[in-house]
Amino acid sequence: MQKTIILSQSQKQILVDHAKKCAPAESCALLFGKEESGTFTTHQVYLTKNIENSPVNFVISNEELLLGYQEAEKNGLEVIGIFHSHPHSEAIPSSTDKKFMTINPVVWIIYSNIHDKLNAFVLESEITSVSIRLL
Ligand SMILES: [Zn+2]
């Protein structure tokens, strides 16, 4: 069964605004929430800094990741997703993304600035698309 991630319109807008503000570099964020039977509900968007400041890659510092995980735990939530943007390409995982998806097996949400499109993926035995439901 296909997995689903639920985002509110305002959460989506926060991510899209962040992506536009960080362009031409990639932007990134963590999503906190809960998972039940393959449905991930986003409760909090945690914007992060791309320390690489690169148009084709993103790196979240270990310090910020640690703070993010602590914040999620404090609020009784899990890190359910990683968001990043592709300023110049489609909203599909790059080969680098695929490598990091094996290390971080959460939902990966990618926003394409050029197509104004948001897609979500999860790595199961292969990269599988996750449907995004906007509330
Ligand atoms: Zn990417």
Side-chain angles (χ1 to χ4, degrees), residues 26 58 84 86 94 97 110:
E26 290 195 2
F58 78 97
H84 76 286
H86 285 174
S94 67
D97 293 338
I110 305 177

Side-chain angles (χ1 to χ4, degrees), residues 115-135:
H115 294 124
D116 188 27
K117 188 148 180 26
L118 203 62
N119 286 328
F121 303 89
V122 73
L123 181 70
E124 291 175 324
S125 50
E126 54 188 29
I127 306 278
T128 311
S129 84
V130 171
S131 71
I132 298 174
R133 198 193 309 161
L134 292 173
L135 291 185

Side-chain angles (χ1 to χ4, degrees), residues 12-98:
K12 182 197 168 189
Q13 200 55 50
I14 289 167
L15 294 171
V16 170
D17 288 347
H18 183 51
K20 288 180 176 168
K21 212 171 98 188
C22 295
E26 290 195 2
S27 60
C28 45
L30 301 174
L31 303 182
F32 304 157
K34 298 208 165 150
E35 188 263 342
E36 202 187 326
S37 331
T39 299
F40 298 83
T41 306
T42 308
H43 289 256
Q44 190 181 350
V45 171
Y46 189 84
L47 300 181
T48 56
K49 186 173 160 38
N50 176 5
I51 58 169
E52 289 267 289
N53 199 28
S54 158
V56 291
N57 192 27
F58 78 97
V59 176
I60 302 171
S61 73
N62 286 330
E63 291 79 9
E64 202 167 24
L65 274 178
L66 184 65
L67 284 173
Y69 274 80
Q70 286 171 344
E71 168 86 4
E73 198 176 26
K74 194 182 81 189
N75 297 334
L77 302 170
E78 290 156 35
V79 177
I80 55 163
I82 293 176
F83 165 85
H84 76 286
S85 60
H86 285 174
H88 311 289
S89 59
E90 289 184 70
I92 53 171
S94 67
S95 51
T96 310
D97 293 338
K98 287 177 186 166

